[in-house]
């Protein structure tokens, strides 16, 4: 056999995702898993029942239409109108995907040429790095620095070159919890318009904002609709991460480009679940308000517990993750800390360093997920308190 490495250079070095590694560690050690972001209770019973009904009624058991079932595309369109006043045509401006993950992959594969530069917030959600690389493009980090984890917009301007094709933005941001303000969003939009950039926005935590922070889709800003591919997913908003129903909205030309790539990735996915998510998107406002309030209470429960345990806590304005600094505990290497945490305290967390190009910049930061039942968070907090003892 040839001595050429089997894994191509585009994927070399990406390893196993940290989420798989840390969830396996949780299973192996029996530790409480506050690593991978998935809720430990399923979403609304009515939505689960809607999936069962679809399955029983034979809706979606065979290949659904390539762009997604019309019921879901219409529901996505209505959701954009209801929450953001955005008008999108369900027939040409909505594309259903296998989670936000496929939407991001298809967008990168469709919109980038080898050598194009993509500016994204660092720490990056791990699939961005892989997808930009698979498209042969180059990622350019705009680092969100502690303690505020806010983007430096002068730095953003300085990073735009003639090769910059696209901004890949995530707000609310995983793992820091940063939610772009109206002012930041306007400034970013103005730069995108000035330099004629495409923008892909990952909005999977759109309904999880706290303390008065408000999610503003960049597509709502002047000059942005025609250049923005907005991505979201049912996983986080409705607590069904295993269903893998996501979607893309945007102008016809961009959605059509993304569809060109998407049709050769999965073609289609999640047939019956698409019908159920269509119902979920039509849940009354009270559902979204209760979901947010429940998660806010959990954020505070875990944040207070982490503070009592000696961590420096960056209380997030969005998402269901808390980034902490472990230096007050006398630690500085998040990787080593997370690898031994199950043994030391029976808890699993994620080292933020994996989300950085310059890993040393993320070394002291560790992420905990709070999308867990109250009793689980209380137990985790009480276990973590033994760390400083
Ligand atoms: N983007 C971000 C920022 C995420 O945290 C996640 C995980 N939910 C995804 C995308 C992937 O979403 P999905 O599970 O719908 O593929
Ligand atoms: N988005 C989830 C997180 O950040 C993980 C999803 C996955 O495992 N790919 O924890």
């Amino acid at each position: 056999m040839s001595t050429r490495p089997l894994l191509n250079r585009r994927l070399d070095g990406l390893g196993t995702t940290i989420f798989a590694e840390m969830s396996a560690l949780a299973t192996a050690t029996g530790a409480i898993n506050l690593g991978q972001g998935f809720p430990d209770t399923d979403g609304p019973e009515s939505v689960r029942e809607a999936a069962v009904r679809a399955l029983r009624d034979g809706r979606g058991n065979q290949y659904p239409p390539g762009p997604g079932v019309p019921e879901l595309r219409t529901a996505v369109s209505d959701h954009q109108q209801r929450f953001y006043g955005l008008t999108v045509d369900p027939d040409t401006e909505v594309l259903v995907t296998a989670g936000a993950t496929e939407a991001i992959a298809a967008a990168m594969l469709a919109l980038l040429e080898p050598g194009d530069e993509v500016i994204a917030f660092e720490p990056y959600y791990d699939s961005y790095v892989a997808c930009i690389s698979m498209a042969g493009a180059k990622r350019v980090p705009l680092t969100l620095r502690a303690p505020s984890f806010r983007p430096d917009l002068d730095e953003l301007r300085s990073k735009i070159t003639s090769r910059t094709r696209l901004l890949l933005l995530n707000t609310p941001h995983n793992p820091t919890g940063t939610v772009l303000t109206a002012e930041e969003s306007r400034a970013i939009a103005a730069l995108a318009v000035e330099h004629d950039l495409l923008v892909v926005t990952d909005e999977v935590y759109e309904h999880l904002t706290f303390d008065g922070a408000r999610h503003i889709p960049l597509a709502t800003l002047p000059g942005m609709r025609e250049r923005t591919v907005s991505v979201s997913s049912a996983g986080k908003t409705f607590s069904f991460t295993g269903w893998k129903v996501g979607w893309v909205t945007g102008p016809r030309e961009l959605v059509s480009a993304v569809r060109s790539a998407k049709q050769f990735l999965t073609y289609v996915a999640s047939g019956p679940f698409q019908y159920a998510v269509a119902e979920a998107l039509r849940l009354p406002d009270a559902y979204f308000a209760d979901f947010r309030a429940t998660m806010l209470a959990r954020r505070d429960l875990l944040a207070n517990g982490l503070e009592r345990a000696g961590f420096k806590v960056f209380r997030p304005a969005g998402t269901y993750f808390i980034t902490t600094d472990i230096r007050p505990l006398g630690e500085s290497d998040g990787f080593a800390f997370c690898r031994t945490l199950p043994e030391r305290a029976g808890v699993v967390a994620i080292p933020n360093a994996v989300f950085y190009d310059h890993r040393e910049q993320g070394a002291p930061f560790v992420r905990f997920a709070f999308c867990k039942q109250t009793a689980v968070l209380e137990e985790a907090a009480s276990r973590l308190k033994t760390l400083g003892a």
Side-chain angles (χ1 to χ4, degrees):
M1 210 158 141
S2 98
T3 52
R4 193 178 116 175
L6 287 176
L7 188 63
N8 68 44
R9 260 175 295 166
R10 296 184 300 286
L11 291 173
D12 189 28
L14 293 176
T16 305
T17 90
I18 192 69
F19 306 117
E21 181 186 337
M22 288 298 163
S23 282
L25 186 62
T27 308
T29 57
I32 296 177
N33 189 357
L34 303 186
Q36 192 176 28
F38 62 89
D40 61 354
T41 36
D42 289 346
E45 190 55 28
S46 66
V47 176
R48 207 155 54 162
E49 278 306 314
V52 172
R53 243 185 302 117
L55 258 159
R56 288 223 173 92
D57 295 349
R59 285 178 297 140
N61 292 332
Q62 310 303 332
Y63 297 131
V69 303
E71 287 83 347
L72 177 53
R73 282 185 278 117
T74 306
V76 167
S77 165
D78 291 348
H79 170 276
Q80 296 307 87
Q81 186 66 249
R82 167 177 163 199
F83 288 98
Y84 310 119
L86 267 171
T87 303
V88 293
D89 175 1
D91 291 329
T92 58
E93 298 185 322
V94 180
L95 172 67
V96 176
T97 55
T101 306
E102 188 195 31
I104 292 158
M108 296 305 117
L109 293 171
L111 302 174
L112 297 172
E113 292 290 356
D116 281 348
E117 291 180 2
V118 178
I119 302 178
F121 295 142
E122 178 191 50
Y124 320 91
Y125 182 58
D126 66 346
S127 86
Y128 300 175
V129 172
C131 292
I132 293 168
S133 178
M134 286 192 279
K138 183 174 168 229
R139 63 180 182 275
V140 176
L142 180 67
T143 306
L144 306 180
R145 294 191 180 82
S148 74
F149 292 113
R150 306 221 69 85
D152 177 333
L153 298 170
D154 292 328
E155 197 178 329
L156 172 57
R157 176 180 283 282
S158 75
K159 296 215 159 175
I160 298 173
T161 72
S162 57
R163 289 179 302 281
T164 309
R165 174 67 170 160
L166 191 147
L167 305 179
L168 173 52
L169 302 175
N170 172 216
T171 183
H173 181 258
N174 175 10
T176 64
T178 295
V179 179
L180 292 181
T181 62
E183 201 183 347
E184 287 164 344
S185 302
R186 273 197 299 272
I188 292 171
L191 283 173
V193 172
E194 180 186 333
H195 296 275
D196 195 19
L197 304 176
L198 296 176
V199 179
V200 175
T201 58
D202 177 345
E203 306 180 31
V204 301
Y205 300 100
E206 60 187 313
H207 288 288
L208 280 176
T209 55
F210 313 119
D211 305 335
R214 201 166 57 85
H215 174 64
I216 304 167
L218 278 163
T220 58
L221 298 176
M224 291 304 283
R225 193 189 187 287
E226 60 263 38
R227 64 182 69 252
T228 304
V229 173
S230 309
V231 172
S232 197
S233 156
K236 307 287 155 156
T237 301
F238 302 111
S239 301
F240 288 111
T241 59
W243 289 8
K244 297 299 291 189
V245 177
W247 51 87
V248 159
T249 57
R252 172 202 280 260
E253 299 72 23
L254 280 173
V255 170
S256 161
V258 176
R259 192 167 60 229
S260 299
K262 182 260 180 314
Q263 65 187 341
F264 298 118
L265 295 174
T266 57
Y267 178 48
V268 290
S270 315
F273 299 126
Q274 292 193 24
Y275 293 94
V277 171
E279 291 197 25
L281 285 165
R282 297 191 189 288
L283 285 168
D285 291 354
Y287 166 77
F288 297 88
D290 288 352
F291 178 58
R292 175 180 280 126
T294 302
M295 287 299 173
L296 175 61
R298 291 177 185 187
R299 179 198 72 170
D300 289 336
L301 175 62
L302 185 63
N304 295 342
L306 288 165
E307 269 166 4
R308 278 197 299 274
F311 293 81
K312 167 151 182 53
V313 168
F314 303 97
R315 216 167 273 241
T319 76
Y320 47 46
F321 303 111
I322 296 176
T323 284
T324 62
D325 188 334
I326 57 176
R327 283 174 291 192
L329 291 163
E331 307 267 351
S332 55
D333 178 350
F335 264 115
F337 180 81
C338 288
R339 291 218 166 94
T340 55
L341 195 58
E343 220 171 279
R344 291 170 66 195
V347 174
V348 162
I350 299 285
N352 285 25
V354 295
F355 305 128
Y356 287 79
D357 281 334
H358 304 290
R359 296 209 156 179
E360 64 289 349
Q361 290 205 39
F365 304 119
V366 166
R367 188 193 87 173
F368 293 85
F370 56 84
C371 46
K372 309 291 173 182
Q373 295 172 66
T374 304
V376 172
L377 296 175
E378 279 167 350
E379 174 61 24
S382 102
R383 290 183 186 189
L384 289 166
K385 228 161 71 183
T386 60
L387 278 178

